[in-house]
Amino acid sequence: MPANYIQGFPPLDWTEQKSLLLGTMVKDDHPDGLQKLRARQFRNRLTHVFLVCGLFGAALVSVCSGAVAVTPGQIASILGERLGIALPWTYEYQHELVVISLRLPRIILGILVGGTLALSGAALQGLFRNPLADPALVGVSSGAALGAVGFIVLGGSVAGLLPEVFGPFYLPTAAFAGGLLIAVLVYRIGVVDGRTQVATMLLAGIAFNAICSALIGMFVFNSDDQQLRDLTFWTMGSLSRNTWGMLLPVFPLLLLPCVVIPLLSRSLNAYVLGESEAGHLGYNVEQLKMLTIVFTSLAIGAAVAVSGIIAFVGLVVPHLARLLLGSDHRQVLPCSLLLGAILILLADVISRTMVVPAELPIGVVTSCIGGPFFLWLLINKRMLRGI
Amino acid sequence: MFAASGISYSIDSARLLRDVSLTLSPGEVVAIIGPNGAGKSTFLKVLGGEIQPTDGIVSMEGRNLVSWGRQALARRRSIMPQSSKIAFPFSVFEIVMMGRSPHAVSEESEIDYDIAGAAMARTGVNDLALRNYNTLSGGEQQRVQLARALAQIWTGPKHTLKDSHSDRYLFLDEPVASMDPSHQHETLRIAREFSQHNVGVLIILHDINLAAMYADRIAVFNQGELVADGEAVAILDEHLMLEVFGIHVLVQRHPTLSCPLIVALPEEIAVRSDLITARQERLSEQARKSST
């Protein structure tokens, strides 16, 4: 600015501001919040330790309860013998059979399925920037169920053409492909000009849900009694396909997302600010979207392939995690993983012990608990505060 | 230097930007003004690399923007968006810390905490540190976003980041839209302060007087074109304001500062503005006479 624009008035001296030199401000002005933040970080770590303990506790409860009751001591003996350590508790052959070939694979399956469902739910909520996004609601689960059912009914005619060696992988792959297809379609429809249109996305999910359910119904209509019983399996969910042979092929498919998705937590945090804002912070947004969609579809597809659609876990658990630890995805993702696993294990215990010797579908249990709980959250408004 | 040369951008048949060339040097504050739909925000999107211009080149330090690595670029150029809601209840401190993410490879360090704290202190959102961002008022949210943008390019004396003392750029998209007057001025003071530390600041503003008071240069956009670019004194006059904004104004001298003061006039008075100017000149002449 020319200094002589008005004679006699010196231009405003910006250098007065130099007392507020950027560097000198750094030390003195700690926010009050920093101490509290440190305390919160400590509390977060503590919560994770508790959750890990809780997971072991839930696994122990799960392995002990059921039609055949087994004491913790007997389990220690059974596991000890496998490792060559003799422990004082006595058990019968029947106990060993139940624990090793039925309950252990079931528990591992439960942990992986519950963990990946909740983790995928949390990641999808982050990606859609919407607290209502859920594997089931956006149609990925029913897409995966459709893939699996379609393969069971139609697969017989194709199976002869495919190599026998990969046999166990076909069903999970079909489920995965179904889930991925729906995820991509929903995302394509829901995102217009680079902006996620929440209502469109959810409505598209509902439409795909309806379409998939109708197609599943058609497949089931054309199937025999045994396949009819399977309908319950796919729509209500169950951990009853608990054999090591069933578990092994999906094990890597479930484990991989558990490793990869938490790595995205920092980018998901930035993505909450908005797509372009995340880009301005130096994140590769396209890559983030791609990785999230592929790995959540992988997780959900694999989970549905072995356990059917287990409702509400992917929706409710991330909200619980946020209530416990705040919205930072670095906390929410691992916490969801642990909480989801714990909840599935406990729900499975209920489903196995309520109507012995029969079994309730686990989806009935999760919906019975999850539905009212979610309503309570809504009414309490704690979860929705600021959303 | 941040330079945009010959930028054109069109969607379908609509030309949103037409051959715009603008440079921004470290140490200067440039304000962009113009009516709604003049292409200001589109231009900022081009500068931010969000959209690729149909024609023209954006470069930073002489290198085409697309050849910069994402992180290297993010460490030297930060953008404050227009007000934005977020989907989940993040705390203010968490939001500001996100500005440090281009610098923190895996976990944030002590330095990042310090800088986020200092940035919040500077924009006066210290007391809000643990509040839920979404429960803040619009003006408070803008100050938080400003703190985040500042934290992103903040450097202090003890920081030894590789490119910490190089030139940096700060783009603000209507940063003061929801702020009260005192925070509006404070925000622009911050912009000037940063400009003295090797930062080139580009601000989209609607308040022409703010722009005239704080900016070294004003760039005026109209219908996708850059119609004027220069010091406030040199470019702001009644004709430009009528042509670009369609309002009648009186361009006065600011009573205490060396910048013009724009006073809007209702249309019925505007036609008599020549009389007003004449009267003012007469009054000031009388004042001068009586003082001598």
Side-chain angles (χ1 to χ4, degrees):
Chain A
M1 283 173 212
N4 59 352
Y5 187 66
I6 294 179
Q7 294 296 330
F9 284 109
L12 191 59
D13 186 12
W14 297 113
T15 54
E16 278 173 12
Q17 300 289 328
K18 273 191 177 160
S19 59
L20 292 170
L21 263 177
L22 305 184
T24 57
M25 293 191 300
V26 167
K27 214 53 216 176
D28 301 328
D29 289 323
H30 270 299
D32 293 340
L34 191 56
Q35 292 306 315
K36 288 183 199 165
L37 200 88
R38 287 276 148 79
R40 186 149 96 189
Q41 283 176 334
F42 177 72
R43 209 184 67 206
N44 287 351
R45 271 189 214 115
L46 208 63
T47 313
H48 275 114
V49 171
F50 271 120
L51 285 173
V52 171
C53 295
L55 183 59
F56 278 106
L60 192 64
V61 170
S62 177
V63 81
C64 289
S65 52
V68 178
V70 187
T71 65
Q74 286 172 324
I75 288 158
S77 289
I78 291 167
L79 294 179
E81 193 183 294
R82 296 262 156 161
L83 300 171
I85 309 162
L87 289 167
W89 297 280
T90 55
Y91 59 90
E92 288 162 29
Y93 175 68
Q94 178 209 14
H95 290 146
E96 186 180 356
L97 192 72
V98 165
V99 169
I100 297 293
S101 53
L102 292 179
R103 293 204 185 147
L104 272 186
R106 189 168 184 131
I107 285 166
I108 294 173
L109 188 66
I111 289 174
L112 283 173
V113 166
T116 47
L117 280 179
L119 185 67
S120 307
L124 281 178
Q125 287 174 7
L127 182 73
F128 285 115
R129 262 177 272 141
N130 186 297
L132 283 181
D134 159 79
L137 211 64
V138 297
V140 179
S141 298
S142 42
L146 178 64
V149 170
F151 184 80
I152 288 174
V153 178
L154 301 178
S157 49
V158 200
L161 307 171
L162 301 167
E164 193 75 28
V165 198
F166 303 110
F169 290 96
Y170 292 142
L171 183 62
T173 308
F176 167 57
L180 181 66
L181 180 72
I182 299 297
V184 169
L185 287 177
V186 167
Y187 198 83
R188 270 288 152 87
I189 294 173
V191 176
V192 179
D193 295 336
R195 289 184 177 276
T196 314
Q197 295 191 333
V198 173
T200 315
M201 178 205 79
L202 288 179
L203 291 174
I206 289 168
F208 280 118
N209 259 332
I211 295 169
C212 291
S213 307
L215 289 176
I216 291 174
M218 262 163 63
F219 280 130
V220 170
F221 187 72
N222 288 322
S223 59
D224 52 39
D225 273 0
Q226 177 53 41
Q227 284 169 325
L228 205 59
R229 202 162 297 133
D230 281 351
L231 174 67
T232 326
F233 178 86
W234 293 110
T235 53
M236 294 295 185
S238 168
L239 294 181
S240 60
R241 305 210 156 181
N242 51 333
T243 61
W244 290 107
M246 188 75 202
L247 186 59
L248 284 176
V250 290
F251 192 78
L253 292 181
L254 288 171
L255 204 59
L256 193 62
C258 289
V259 177
V260 175
I261 293 176
L263 296 179
L264 303 174
S265 49
R266 271 165 59 95
S267 351
L268 282 172
N269 277 348
Y271 200 75
V272 166
L273 294 171
E275 195 167 324
S276 42
E277 282 75 13
H280 295 155
L281 283 170
Y283 290 104
N284 188 339
V285 178
E286 287 306 315
Q287 192 187 43
L288 170 71
K289 287 195 278 194
M290 202 265 291
L291 286 177
T292 311
I293 288 188
V294 166
F295 280 97
T296 52
S297 308
L298 186 68
I300 296 163
V304 171
V306 285
S307 61
I309 299 174
I310 300 177
F312 263 108
V313 178
L315 177 65
V316 174
V317 171
H319 288 297
L320 267 180
R322 283 193 198 94
L323 278 181
L324 278 176
L325 298 173
S327 298
D328 189 334
H329 284 92
R330 282 173 293 183
Q331 312 294 336
V332 169
L333 294 184
C335 180
S336 298
L337 187 79
L338 291 169
L339 264 181
I342 293 172
L343 288 186
I344 282 283
L345 284 183
L346 295 180
D348 184 49
V349 168
I350 295 173
S351 82
R352 280 187 289 135
T353 50
M354 281 273 279
V355 286
V356 175
E359 240 181 61
L360 271 178
I362 193 170
V364 172
V365 180
T366 54
S367 294
C368 277
I369 301 171
F373 179 75
F374 197 63
L375 284 175
W376 176 78
L377 280 184
L378 284 174
I379 292 163
N380 250 22
K381 295 272 186 207
R382 283 191 68 188
M383 181 203 77
L384 287 186
R385 193 168 52 194
I387 286 177
Chain B
M1 192 161 77
F2 212 99
S5 49
I7 301 293
S8 294
Y9 181 71
S10 21
I11 288 182
D12 302 329
S13 60
R15 295 190 74 181
L16 300 183
L17 289 174
R18 225 173 294 186
D19 195 24
V20 176
S21 297
L22 191 72
T23 60
L24 176 69
S25 304
E28 67 175 350
V29 176
V30 175
I32 294 182
I33 61 173
N36 297 130
K40 308 184 294 289
S41 291
T42 311
F43 183 63
L44 201 67
K45 277 183 187 159
V46 171
L47 290 191
E50 246 174 275
I51 51 178
Q52 290 303 316
T54 27
D55 226 343
I57 289 174
V58 184
S59 65
M60 187 167 96
E61 317 300 1
R63 266 172 66 195
N64 193 329
L65 207 61
V66 286
S67 71
W68 280 86
R70 289 170 205 281
Q71 233 182 16
L73 188 63
R75 285 179 183 183
R76 302 181 55 170
R77 183 271 286 124
S78 73
I79 300 177
M80 176 190 163
Q82 282 188 35
S83 66
S84 48
K85 273 243 157 196
I86 58 174
F88 299 105
F90 274 84
S91 74
V92 166
F93 196 88
E94 285 171 324
I95 298 277
V96 178
M97 276 303 278
M98 283 178 200
R100 292 305 296 169
S101 53
H103 301 272
V105 181
S106 57
E107 280 291 299
E108 289 90 353
S109 66
E110 195 76 22
I111 292 171
D112 297 314
Y113 280 98
D114 282 349
I115 288 177
M120 292 199 309
R122 188 65 193 92
T123 61
V125 292
N126 237 345
D127 296 338
L128 310 175
L130 292 182
R131 287 271 301 278
N132 173 353
Y133 173 83
N134 282 340
T135 61
L136 303 180
S137 74
E140 287 170 333
Q141 289 185 346
Q142 282 190 313
R143 275 149 61 202
V144 174
Q145 292 285 359
L146 178 66
R148 180 175 69 78
L150 296 183
Q152 191 179 334
I153 53 164
W154 194 291
T155 57
K158 63 194 177 107
H159 306 146
T160 50
L161 286 170
K162 211 171 65 190
D163 35 24
S164 68
H165 292 289
S166 49
D167 301 333
R168 288 156 293 146
Y169 303 91
L170 177 64
F171 300 160
L172 310 171
D173 193 354
E174 293 185 31
V176 300
S178 319
M179 290 185 188
D180 59 45
S182 88
H183 284 114
Q184 292 189 358
H185 285 273
E186 190 56 26
T187 298
L188 286 151
R189 264 171 210 282
I190 291 170
R192 288 224 61 97
E193 207 178 293
F194 261 70
S195 74
Q196 291 180 346
H197 293 81
N198 286 345
V199 178
V201 185
L202 190 70
I203 316 178
I204 295 181
L205 284 173
H206 273 306
D207 186 331
I208 296 152
N209 282 320
L210 273 183
M213 216 160 148
Y214 288 93
D216 296 312
R217 257 168 56 215
I218 295 183
V220 186
F221 275 64
N222 193 23
Q223 296 177 349
E225 281 180 274
L226 183 65
V227 292
D229 177 9
E231 287 176 6
V233 181
I235 63 160
L236 293 181
D237 58 36
E238 286 88 348
H239 295 296
L240 183 86
M241 297 304 289
L242 187 59
E243 195 183 315
V244 173
F245 293 95
I247 52 168
H248 296 277
V249 300
L250 206 56
V251 178
Q252 298 278 51
R253 298 164 173 177
H254 192 288
T256 56
L257 300 175
S258 54
C259 65
L261 180 69
I262 315 285
V263 182
L265 297 176
E267 202 151 350
E268 54 272 25
I269 295 182
V271 294
R272 315 277 306 161
S273 66
D274 49 333
L275 297 181
I276 296 173
T277 320
R279 179 164 172 269
Q280 268 179 345
E281 270 165 13
R282 209 165 53 241
L283 283 174
S284 58
E285 196 148 326
Q286 279 175 3
R288 208 164 50 237
K289 271 180 189 163
S290 63
S291 68
T292 54

